Amino acid sequence: MPRPPIWARPEPSARAPRFSRERIAAAALEIADAEGIDAVSMRNVAARLGAGTMTLYNYVETKDELFALMDDALMAESVFADGELPAGWREATAAIARRTWVVLARHPWAVTLRQGPAIGPNGMLHFEQTLAALAGTGLDHAGKIDVLTIVDAYVFGSALKAGEMRAEADPEQVKAVVEYGMEQLATGRFPHTAALLNGGAPGSAEAVQLPSTADAVTAQFERGLQAVLDGVARLVEA
């Protein structure tokens, strides 16, 4: 028989339960932020809470349920308060995309969080708000789902790439990779790559700066988001 999602079950009925699901999720997020998602386990979460592992099972039955609580906690950071969402489909969709991207940037491991079929109350609210943002577009249900999928794909892909750029790399490994790359460029087989790294189109001296600061990465995300929304606007206008 399928297991109901954790939110369909009441929390422990003790008069004063020692832990809440929110507190458990917060502890798990702290571990993931500090040590990575692979460090999140029932044992480690229990230890951070100052409890025994078996005690935690009174609140969360499986690791998948723990991940579900974490995912819903992330969604809580993404949702807007009543009346806070901007008017207009483009402004509202952009605001949701930006906030989601910021949350993913704050928790880079979240892009790779294993998610099952469970969706929590904050996840449902986030989905409701994304649909509300498109309510005045005239798009049918399939069109709205297409837009949400396209925007989500951009947001998550951009967050994944930004996380890779922020990751600390071994300087010696970076040096070895750069040396190999320069050797390959010297063969002349990659003129467009050489032009990009040396500046401008082939034969041009124009300098090209790849985003390397938080502000530059954010600006690049915003440019891409506006390009995506330009495409959505064509669907809406049609």
Side-chain angles (χ1 to χ4, degrees):
M1 183 176 179
R3 180 192 300 273
I6 186 171
W7 299 278
R9 303 195 310 267
E11 296 210 45
S13 57
R15 180 172 300 177
R18 187 176 175 190
F19 304 114
S20 66
R21 288 169 181 165
E22 289 77 12
R23 187 177 174 191
I24 292 169
L29 261 62
E30 290 172 1
I31 293 172
D33 287 343
E35 305 175 45
I37 189 62
D38 290 340
V40 177
S41 66
M42 301 290 272
R43 181 189 299 273
N44 288 344
V45 172
R48 181 165 288 255
L49 292 169
T53 304
M54 296 310 298
T55 299
L56 193 62
Y57 280 101
N58 292 325
Y59 301 85
V60 182
E61 295 183 359
T62 66
K63 191 173 182 179
D64 282 343
E65 288 191 349
L66 179 60
F67 283 163
L69 290 180
M70 294 174 68
D71 181 63
D72 203 57
L74 294 173
M75 289 295 98
E77 297 182 27
S78 302
V79 297
F80 287 75
D82 290 343
E84 187 183 3
L85 199 62
W89 74 263
R90 182 167 185 141
E91 292 76 12
T93 301
I96 293 170
R98 292 187 194 103
R99 182 167 294 187
T100 302
W101 188 78
V102 168
V103 170
L104 294 175
R106 188 182 303 136
H107 309 286
W109 49 266
V111 179
T112 60
L113 179 63
R114 186 176 80 241
Q115 298 179 28
I119 180 170
N122 290 308
M124 291 187 67
L125 181 56
H126 177 72
F127 186 65
E128 173 68 18
Q129 290 181 343
T130 58
L131 289 176
L134 298 173
T137 60
L139 294 171
D140 59 15
H141 294 321
K144 291 175 182 176
I145 292 299
D146 283 347
V147 171
L148 299 186
T149 301
I150 291 167
V151 174
D152 270 356
Y154 172 69
V155 170
F156 276 75
S158 176
L160 178 61
K161 200 66 179 177
E164 292 174 351
M165 294 176 65
R166 294 187 189 97
E168 295 184 6
D170 179 1
E172 291 301 318
Q173 182 65 32
V174 171
K175 180 181 178 181
V177 170
V178 170
E179 289 176 351
Y180 171 77
M182 295 304 295
E183 290 172 0
Q184 294 303 304
L185 293 178
T187 66
R189 294 177 58 208
F190 310 97
H192 293 280
T193 304
L196 175 69
L197 297 178
N198 293 328
S204 169
E206 180 185 357
V208 173
Q209 295 292 328
L210 298 179
S212 58
T213 66
D215 287 345
V217 170
T218 300
Q220 185 183 61
F221 167 77
E222 185 65 29
R223 291 194 299 273
L225 176 61
Q226 293 305 320
V228 170
L229 295 177
D230 284 345
V232 174
R234 296 184 64 180
L235 293 176
V236 173
E237 292 167 1

